[in-house]
Coordinates of all heavy atoms in Angstrom, one line a residue:
M25 N 66.9 181.2 -73.6 CA 67.8 180.4 -72.6 C 69.2 180.2 -73.2 O 69.3 179.7 -74.2 CB 67.1 179.1 -72.2 CG 67.7 178.4 -71.1 SD 67.0 176.7 -70.7 CE 65.4 177.2 -70.2
S26 N 70.1 180.5 -72.3 CA 71.6 180.3 -72.8 C 72.1 178.9 -72.7 O 71.4 178.1 -72.1 CB 72.5 181.3 -72.0 OG 72.6 180.7 -70.7
K27 N 73.1 178.6 -73.4 CA 73.6 177.2 -73.3 C 73.9 176.9 -71.9 O 73.8 175.7 -71.6 CB 74.8 177.0 -74.2 CG 74.4 177.1 -75.7 CD 75.3 176.3 -76.5 CE 74.9 176.4 -78.0 NZ 74.5 175.2 -78.6
D28 N 74.5 177.7 -71.1 CA 74.9 177.4 -69.8 C 73.7 177.1 -68.9 O 73.7 176.1 -68.1 CB 75.6 178.7 -69.0 CG 77.0 178.8 -69.6 OD1 77.6 177.7 -70.2 OD2 77.6 180.0 -69.7
E29 N 72.6 177.8 -69.1 CA 71.4 177.5 -68.5 C 70.7 176.2 -68.8 O 70.3 175.4 -68.0 CB 70.2 178.6 -68.7 CG 70.6 180.0 -68.0 CD 69.6 181.0 -68.4 OE1 69.3 181.1 -69.5 OE2 69.2 181.8 -67.4
E30 N 70.9 175.8 -70.0 CA 70.4 174.5 -70.5 C 71.2 173.4 -69.9 O 70.7 172.4 -69.4 CB 70.6 174.5 -72.1 CG 69.4 175.2 -72.8 CD 69.6 175.1 -74.3 OE1 70.2 174.1 -74.8 OE2 69.2 176.0 -75.0
K31 N 72.5 173.6 -69.7 CA 73.4 172.5 -69.2 C 73.0 172.3 -67.8 O 73.0 171.2 -67.2 CB 74.9 172.9 -69.3 CG 75.4 172.8 -70.7 CD 76.8 173.2 -70.8 CE 77.3 173.2 -72.1 NZ 78.7 173.5 -72.3
V32 N 72.7 173.5 -67.0 CA 72.4 173.3 -65.6 C 71.1 172.6 -65.5 O 70.9 171.8 -64.6 CB 72.3 174.8 -64.9 CG1 71.6 174.7 -63.5 CG2 73.6 175.4 -64.9
N33 N 70.0 173.0 -66.2 CA 68.8 172.4 -66.3 C 68.9 170.8 -66.6 O 68.2 170.0 -65.9 CB 67.8 172.9 -67.2 CG 67.3 174.3 -66.7 OD1 67.3 174.6 -65.5 ND2 66.8 175.1 -67.7
L34 N 69.8 170.5 -67.5 CA 70.0 169.0 -67.9 C 70.6 168.3 -66.8 O 70.3 167.2 -66.4 CB 70.7 168.9 -69.2 CG 70.0 169.3 -70.5 CD1 70.9 169.2 -71.7 CD2 68.8 168.4 -70.7
R35 N 71.5 168.9 -66.0 CA 72.3 168.3 -64.9 C 71.2 168.1 -63.7 O 71.3 167.1 -63.2 CB 73.3 169.1 -64.5 CG 74.7 168.8 -65.0 CD 75.9 169.5 -64.4 NE 76.6 170.2 -65.5 CZ 76.8 171.5 -65.4 NH1 76.5 172.2 -64.3 NH2 77.4 172.2 -66.3
R36 N 70.3 169.0 -63.7 CA 69.3 168.8 -62.6 C 68.3 167.6 -62.9 O 67.9 167.0 -61.9 CB 68.5 170.1 -62.4 CG 68.4 170.5 -61.0 CD 67.7 171.8 -60.8 NE 68.5 173.0 -61.2 CZ 67.8 174.1 -61.5 NH1 66.6 174.2 -61.6 NH2 68.6 175.1 -61.8
L37 N 68.1 167.4 -64.2 CA 67.2 166.3 -64.5 C 67.9 165.0 -64.6 O 67.2 163.9 -64.5 CB 66.7 166.6 -66.0 CG 65.6 167.7 -66.0 CD1 65.2 168.0 -67.5 CD2 64.4 167.4 -65.2
E38 N 69.2 164.9 -64.7 CA 69.9 163.7 -64.8 C 69.6 162.6 -63.9 O 69.3 161.5 -64.2 CB 71.4 164.0 -64.9 CG 72.2 162.7 -65.4 CD 73.6 162.9 -65.8 OE1 74.0 164.2 -65.8 OE2 74.3 162.0 -65.8
P39 N 69.5 163.0 -62.5 CA 69.2 161.9 -61.6 C 67.8 161.2 -61.9 O 67.6 160.0 -61.6 CB 69.2 162.6 -60.2 CG 70.0 163.8 -60.4 CD 69.9 164.2 -61.8
A40 N 66.8 162.0 -62.2 CA 65.5 161.5 -62.5 C 65.5 160.7 -63.7 O 64.9 159.6 -63.8 CB 64.5 162.7 -62.7
I41 N 66.3 161.1 -64.7 CA 66.4 160.3 -66.0 C 67.2 158.9 -65.6 O 66.6 157.9 -66.1 CB 67.1 161.1 -67.1 CG1 66.3 162.3 -67.5 CG2 67.5 160.3 -68.3 CD1 67.0 163.3 -68.4
Q42 N 68.1 159.0 -64.9 CA 68.9 157.7 -64.5 C 68.0 156.8 -63.8 O 68.0 155.6 -64.0 CB 70.1 158.1 -63.7 CG 71.2 158.7 -64.5 CD 71.7 157.9 -65.7 OE1 71.9 156.8 -65.7 NE2 71.9 158.5 -66.8
K43 N 67.2 157.3 -62.8 CA 66.3 156.4 -62.1 C 65.2 155.9 -63.0 O 65.0 154.6 -62.9 CB 65.6 157.3 -61.0 CG 64.8 156.5 -60.1 CD 64.2 157.2 -58.9 CE 63.4 156.3 -58.0 NZ 62.9 157.0 -56.9
F44 N 64.8 156.6 -63.9 CA 63.8 156.2 -64.9 C 64.3 155.0 -65.7 O 63.8 153.9 -65.8 CB 63.4 157.3 -65.9 CG 62.5 156.8 -66.9 CD1 61.1 156.6 -66.7 CD2 63.1 156.7 -68.2 CE1 60.4 156.2 -67.7 CE2 62.1 156.2 -69.2 CZ 60.8 156.0 -69.0
I45 N 65.6 155.3 -66.2 CA 66.2 154.2 -67.0 C 66.4 152.8 -66.1 O 66.3 151.7 -66.6 CB 67.6 154.7 -67.5 CG1 67.3 155.7 -68.6 CG2 68.5 153.5 -68.1 CD1 68.5 156.5 -69.0
K46 N 66.9 153.0 -64.8 CA 67.2 151.9 -64.0 C 66.0 151.2 -63.5 O 66.1 150.0 -63.2 CB 68.1 152.3 -62.9 CG 69.5 152.7 -63.3 CD 70.3 153.1 -62.2 CE 71.8 153.5 -62.7 NZ 72.6 154.1 -61.6
V47 N 64.8 151.9 -63.2 CA 63.7 151.4 -62.5 C 62.6 151.1 -63.5 O 62.0 150.0 -63.6 CB 63.3 152.2 -61.3 CG1 62.1 151.7 -60.6 CG2 64.5 152.3 -60.4
A48 N 62.0 152.2 -64.0 CA 60.8 152.1 -64.8 C 60.8 151.2 -66.0 O 59.9 150.5 -66.3 CB 60.3 153.6 -65.2
I49 N 61.9 151.4 -66.8 CA 62.0 150.6 -68.0 C 62.1 149.1 -67.7 O 61.3 148.3 -68.3 CB 63.2 151.1 -68.9 CG1 62.8 152.5 -69.4 CG2 63.4 150.2 -70.1 CD1 63.9 153.2 -70.3
P50 N 63.1 148.7 -66.9 CA 63.1 147.3 -66.5 C 61.7 146.8 -66.0 O 61.3 145.6 -66.3 CB 64.1 147.1 -65.5 CG 65.0 148.2 -65.8 CD 64.1 149.4 -66.2
T51 N 61.0 147.5 -65.2 CA 59.7 147.1 -64.6 C 58.8 146.9 -65.7 O 58.0 145.9 -65.7 CB 59.3 148.1 -63.6 OG1 60.2 148.3 -62.6 CG2 57.9 147.8 -63.0
D52 N 58.6 147.8 -66.7 CA 57.6 147.7 -67.7 C 58.0 146.5 -68.7 O 57.1 145.9 -69.2 CB 57.7 149.0 -68.5 CG 56.8 150.1 -67.8 OD1 56.1 149.8 -66.9 OD2 57.1 151.2 -68.2
L53 N 59.3 146.3 -68.9 CA 59.7 145.1 -69.7 C 59.4 143.8 -69.1 O 59.0 142.9 -69.7 CB 61.2 145.2 -70.0 CG 61.7 146.3 -71.0 CD1 63.3 146.3 -71.1 CD2 61.1 146.2 -72.4
E54 N 59.5 143.8 -67.8 CA 59.2 142.6 -67.0 C 57.6 142.5 -67.1 O 57.2 141.2 -67.3 CB 59.6 142.6 -65.6 CG 59.2 141.4 -64.8 CD 59.9 140.1 -65.2 OE1 60.8 140.2 -66.0 OE2 59.2 139.1 -64.9
R55 N 56.9 143.4 -66.9 CA 55.4 143.3 -67.1 C 54.9 142.9 -68.4 O 54.1 142.0 -68.6 CB 54.8 144.8 -66.7 CG 53.3 144.7 -66.6 CD 52.8 146.1 -66.1 NE 53.2 146.3 -64.9 CZ 53.9 147.6 -64.5 NH1 54.0 148.5 -65.5 NH2 54.2 147.8 -63.3
L56 N 55.7 143.4 -69.4 CA 55.3 143.0 -70.8 C 55.6 141.5 -71.0 O 54.9 140.8 -71.8 CB 56.0 143.9 -71.8 CG 55.5 145.2 -72.0 CD1 56.3 146.1 -72.9 CD2 54.0 145.2 -72.6
R57 N 56.8 141.1 -70.5 CA 57.1 139.6 -70.6 C 56.0 138.7 -70.0 O 55.6 137.7 -70.5 CB 58.4 139.4 -69.9 CG 59.0 138.0 -70.2 CD 60.3 137.8 -69.4 NE 60.2 137.7 -68.0 CZ 59.6 136.6 -67.4 NH1 59.3 135.6 -68.0 NH2 59.5 136.7 -66.0
K58 N 55.5 139.2 -68.8 CA 54.4 138.4 -68.2 C 53.1 138.5 -68.9 O 52.4 137.4 -69.1 CB 54.2 139.0 -66.8 CG 55.3 138.7 -65.8 CD 55.0 139.2 -64.4 CE 56.2 138.9 -63.5 NZ 56.0 139.5 -62.2
H59 N 52.8 139.6 -69.7 CA 51.8 139.6 -70.5 C 51.9 138.6 -71.6 O 51.0 137.9 -72.0 CB 51.5 141.0 -71.0 CG 51.0 142.1 -70.1 ND1 49.8 141.8 -69.4 CD2 51.4 143.3 -69.8 CE1 49.6 142.9 -68.6 NE2 50.5 143.7 -68.8
Q60 N 53.1 138.6 -72.2 CA 53.4 137.7 -73.4 C 53.1 136.2 -72.9 O 52.5 135.5 -73.6 CB 54.8 137.9 -73.9 CG 55.1 137.0 -75.0 CD 56.6 137.2 -75.5 OE1 57.4 137.8 -74.8 NE2 56.9 136.6 -76.6
I61 N 53.7 136.0 -71.8 CA 53.5 134.6 -71.3 C 52.0 134.2 -71.1 O 51.5 133.1 -71.5 CB 54.3 134.4 -69.9 CG1 55.7 134.4 -70.2 CG2 53.9 133.1 -69.2 CD1 56.6 134.5 -68.9
N62 N 51.2 135.1 -70.5 CA 49.9 134.9 -70.2 C 49.1 134.8 -71.6 O 48.2 133.9 -71.8 CB 49.3 136.0 -69.5 CG 49.6 135.9 -67.9 OD1 50.0 134.8 -67.6 ND2 49.5 137.0 -67.3
I63 N 49.4 135.7 -72.6 CA 48.9 135.6 -73.9 C 49.0 134.2 -74.6 O 48.1 133.6 -75.1 CB 49.3 136.7 -74.7 CG1 48.7 138.1 -74.4 CG2 49.0 136.5 -76.2 CD1 49.4 139.4 -74.9
E64 N 50.3 133.8 -74.6 CA 50.6 132.5 -75.1 C 49.8 131.4 -74.4 O 49.3 130.4 -75.0 CB 52.0 132.2 -75.1 CG 52.7 133.1 -76.0 CD 54.3 133.1 -75.9 OE1 54.8 132.4 -74.9 OE2 55.1 133.7 -76.6
K65 N 49.7 131.4 -73.0 CA 49.0 130.4 -72.2 C 47.5 130.5 -72.5 O 46.9 129.4 -72.8 CB 49.2 130.7 -70.7 CG 48.5 129.7 -69.8 CD 48.8 129.9 -68.4 CE 48.3 131.2 -68.0 NZ 48.3 131.6 -66.4
Y66 N 46.9 131.6 -72.7 CA 45.5 131.8 -72.9 C 45.2 131.3 -74.3 O 44.2 130.6 -74.5 CB 44.9 133.2 -72.6 CG 45.0 133.6 -71.3 CD1 45.3 134.9 -70.8 CD2 45.0 132.7 -70.2 CE1 45.4 135.3 -69.5 CE2 45.1 133.1 -68.8 CZ 45.3 134.4 -68.5 OH 45.4 134.8 -67.2
Q67 N 46.1 131.6 -75.2 CA 45.9 131.1 -76.7 C 45.9 129.5 -76.7 O 45.0 129.0 -77.3 CB 47.0 131.6 -77.5 CG 46.5 132.5 -78.6 CD 47.6 133.1 -79.4 OE1 48.8 133.2 -78.9 NE2 47.3 133.6 -80.5
R68 N 46.9 129.0 -76.0 CA 46.9 127.5 -76.0 C 45.7 126.8 -75.4 O 45.1 125.8 -75.9 CB 48.1 127.0 -75.2 CG 49.4 127.0 -76.0 CD 50.5 126.1 -75.2 NE 50.6 126.4 -73.8 CZ 51.3 127.5 -73.3 NH1 51.9 128.3 -74.1 NH2 51.3 127.7 -72.0
C69 N 45.2 127.4 -74.2 CA 44.1 126.9 -73.6 C 42.6 127.3 -74.2 O 41.6 127.1 -73.7 CB 44.1 127.4 -72.1 SG 45.6 126.7 -71.3
R70 N 42.8 128.2 -75.2 CA 41.6 128.7 -75.8 C 40.6 129.5 -74.9 O 39.4 129.3 -74.9 CB 40.8 127.8 -76.5 CG 41.7 127.1 -77.6 CD 41.0 126.1 -78.4 NE 41.9 125.7 -79.5 CZ 41.8 124.6 -80.2 NH1 40.9 123.7 -79.8 NH2 42.6 124.3 -81.2
L71 N 41.3 130.3 -74.0 CA 40.5 131.1 -73.0 C 40.4 132.6 -73.7 O 41.2 133.4 -73.5 CB 41.2 131.1 -71.7 CG 41.3 129.7 -71.0 CD1 42.2 130.0 -69.8 CD2 39.9 129.4 -70.6
W72 N 39.5 132.6 -74.6 CA 39.5 133.9 -75.5 C 39.1 135.2 -74.7 O 39.6 136.1 -75.1 CB 38.5 133.6 -76.5 CG 38.7 132.3 -77.4 CD1 37.8 131.4 -77.5 CD2 39.8 131.9 -78.0 NE1 38.4 130.3 -78.2 CE2 39.7 130.7 -78.6 CE3 41.2 132.5 -78.2 CZ2 40.6 130.0 -79.3 CZ3 42.1 131.8 -78.8 CH2 41.9 130.5 -79.4
D73 N 38.2 135.0 -73.6 CA 38.0 136.2 -72.9 C 39.2 136.7 -72.2 O 39.5 137.9 -72.1 CB 36.8 136.0 -71.9 CG 35.4 135.8 -72.6 OD1 35.3 136.3 -73.7 OD2 34.6 135.3 -72.0
K74 N 39.9 135.8 -71.6 CA 41.1 136.1 -70.9 C 42.2 136.7 -71.8 O 43.0 137.6 -71.5 CB 41.6 135.0 -70.0 CG 40.8 134.7 -68.8 CD 41.4 133.7 -67.9 CE 40.5 133.4 -66.7 NZ 41.1 133.8 -65.4
L75 N 42.2 136.0 -72.9 CA 43.2 136.5 -74.0 C 43.0 137.9 -74.4 O 43.8 138.7 -74.4 CB 43.2 135.6 -75.2 CG 44.0 135.9 -76.4 CD1 45.4 135.7 -76.1 CD2 43.7 135.1 -77.6
H76 N 41.7 138.2 -74.6 CA 41.4 139.6 -75.0 C 41.8 140.5 -73.8 O 42.3 141.6 -74.2 CB 39.9 139.7 -75.3 CG 39.5 141.0 -75.7 ND1 39.7 141.5 -76.9 CD2 38.6 141.9 -75.0 CE1 39.2 142.8 -77.0 NE2 38.5 143.0 -75.8
E77 N 41.4 140.3 -72.6 CA 41.8 141.1 -71.6 C 43.3 141.4 -71.4 O 43.8 142.4 -71.2 CB 41.3 140.5 -70.2 CG 39.9 140.6 -70.0 CD 39.4 140.0 -68.7 OE1 40.2 140.1 -67.7 OE2 38.3 139.4 -68.7
E78 N 44.0 140.2 -71.6 CA 45.5 140.4 -71.6 C 46.1 141.2 -72.6 O 46.9 142.1 -72.4 CB 46.2 138.9 -71.6 CG 47.5 138.9 -71.1 CD 47.5 139.0 -69.5 OE1 46.6 138.8 -68.9 OE2 48.6 139.7 -69.1
H79 N 45.5 141.1 -73.8 CA 45.9 142.0 -74.9 C 45.7 143.4 -74.6 O 46.6 144.3 -74.8 CB 45.1 141.7 -76.3 CG 45.8 140.6 -77.1 ND1 46.9 140.8 -77.9 CD2 45.5 139.3 -77.3 CE1 47.3 139.7 -78.4 NE2 46.4 138.8 -78.1
I80 N 44.5 143.7 -73.9 CA 44.2 145.1 -73.6 C 45.2 145.6 -72.5 O 45.7 146.7 -72.6 CB 42.7 145.1 -73.1 CG1 41.7 144.9 -74.2 CG2 42.5 146.5 -72.3 CD1 40.3 144.8 -73.8
N81 N 45.5 144.7 -71.5 CA 46.4 145.3 -70.5 C 47.8 145.4 -71.0 O 48.5 146.3 -70.6 CB 46.4 144.0 -69.4 CG 45.1 144.1 -68.6 OD1 44.4 145.0 -68.6 ND2 44.9 143.0 -68.0
A82 N 48.2 144.6 -72.0 CA 49.6 144.8 -72.6 C 49.6 146.1 -73.3 O 50.6 146.8 -73.3 CB 49.9 143.6 -73.5
G83 N 48.5 146.2 -74.1 CA 48.4 147.6 -74.8 C 48.5 148.8 -73.8 O 49.2 149.8 -74.1
R84 N 47.8 148.6 -72.7 CA 47.9 149.8 -71.7 C 49.2 150.0 -71.2 O 49.7 151.2 -70.9 CB 47.0 149.6 -70.6 CG 45.5 149.7 -70.9 CD 44.6 149.3 -69.8 NE 43.2 149.5 -70.2 CZ 42.2 148.9 -69.6 NH1 42.4 148.0 -68.6 NH2 40.9 149.0 -70.0
T85 N 49.9 149.0 -71.0 CA 51.4 149.0 -70.4 C 52.2 149.9 -71.5 O 53.0 150.6 -71.2 CB 52.0 147.8 -70.2 OG1 51.2 147.1 -69.2 CG2 53.5 147.7 -69.8
V86 N 52.1 149.5 -72.8 CA 52.8 150.2 -73.8 C 52.3 151.6 -73.9 O 53.2 152.6 -74.0 CB 52.7 149.5 -75.2 CG1 53.2 150.3 -76.3 CG2 53.2 148.1 -75.2
Q87 N 51.1 151.9 -73.8 CA 50.5 153.2 -74.0 C 51.1 154.1 -72.9 O 51.3 155.3 -73.1 CB 49.1 153.2 -73.9 CG 48.4 154.5 -74.4 CD 46.9 154.4 -74.6 OE1 46.3 153.5 -73.8 NE2 46.3 155.1 -75.4
V88 N 51.1 153.7 -71.7 CA 51.6 154.4 -70.4 C 52.9 154.8 -70.7 O 53.4 156.1 -70.5 CB 51.5 153.6 -69.2 CG1 52.4 154.2 -68.1 CG2 50.2 153.5 -68.7
R89 N 53.8 154.0 -71.2 CA 55.2 154.4 -71.5 C 55.4 155.4 -72.7 O 56.2 156.1 -72.8 CB 56.0 153.1 -71.8 CG 57.5 153.2 -71.4 CD 58.0 154.0 -70.3 NE 57.5 153.6 -69.1 CZ 57.2 154.3 -67.9 NH1 57.2 155.6 -68.0 NH2 56.7 153.8 -66.8
R90 N 54.4 155.2 -73.7 CA 54.5 156.1 -74.8 C 54.1 157.6 -74.4 O 54.6 158.5 -75.0 CB 53.5 155.6 -75.9 CG 53.5 156.3 -77.2 CD 52.6 155.7 -78.2 NE 52.9 154.3 -78.4 CZ 52.1 153.5 -79.1 NH1 51.0 153.9 -79.6 NH2 52.4 152.2 -79.3
W91 N 53.2 157.7 -73.4 CA 52.8 159.0 -73.1 C 53.5 159.7 -71.9 O 53.4 160.8 -71.6 CB 51.3 159.1 -72.8 CG 50.4 158.8 -74.0 CD1 49.9 157.6 -74.4 CD2 50.3 159.6 -75.2 NE1 49.3 157.7 -75.6 CE2 49.6 158.9 -76.1 CE3 50.7 161.0 -75.5 CZ2 49.1 159.4 -77.3 CZ3 50.3 161.5 -76.7 CH2 49.6 160.8 -77.6
R92 N 54.1 158.8 -71.1 CA 54.6 159.4 -69.8 C 56.2 158.9 -69.8 O 56.5 157.9 -69.4 CB 54.0 158.8 -68.7 CG 54.2 159.3 -67.4 CD 53.4 158.7 -66.3 NE 52.9 157.4 -66.5 CZ 53.0 156.4 -65.6 NH1 53.4 156.8 -64.3 NH2 52.7 155.3 -65.9
P93 N 57.0 159.9 -70.2 CA 58.5 159.5 -70.1 C 59.0 159.4 -68.8 O 58.5 159.8 -67.8 CB 59.1 160.7 -70.9 CG 58.1 161.7 -71.0 CD 56.7 161.2 -70.6

């Protein structure tokens, strides 16, 4: 693939990348913030089952972003 072809392909991907940066990342960060709040709440209240579930859910949120750009 020539450099010109690479530039065209990158230009075609740019809108999708920009949307990802503007939408997906802030959404995931907000979700992780909510997980953190819940984890702290469950820890204070000693709700160990709910705490465990919240840890799992937070891990899943991170894992999704790690595997799906």
Side-chain angles (χ1 to χ4, degrees):
M25 185 180 297
S26 74
K27 291 214 182 234
D28 289 335
E29 288 174 319
E30 285 179 28
K31 287 180 184 178
V32 169
N33 287 338
L34 289 176
R35 265 191 242 125
R36 230 182 281 157
L37 288 175
E38 191 169 349
I41 293 168
Q42 290 300 321
K43 184 174 181 181
F44 173 78
I45 290 169
K46 290 179 183 175
V47 177
I49 292 175
T51 300
D52 286 342
L53 289 175
E54 179 63 22
R55 188 175 295 127
L56 286 171
R57 188 183 70 75
K58 288 179 182 178
H59 285 308
Q60 180 182 11
I61 290 167
N62 287 338
I63 286 169
E64 291 169 358
K65 177 176 66 174
Y66 296 149
Q67 238 173 345
R68 272 193 318 275
C69 297
R70 297 185 174 155
L71 298 170
W72 308 123
D73 289 339
K74 289 189 179 244
L75 176 67
H76 181 68
E77 285 178 37
E78 202 65 34
H79 272 284
I80 290 170
N81 291 336
R84 286 179 180 154
T85 299
V86 171
Q87 192 174 31
V88 163
R89 206 36 66 212
R90 192 179 294 169
W91 293 107
R92 190 173 33 133

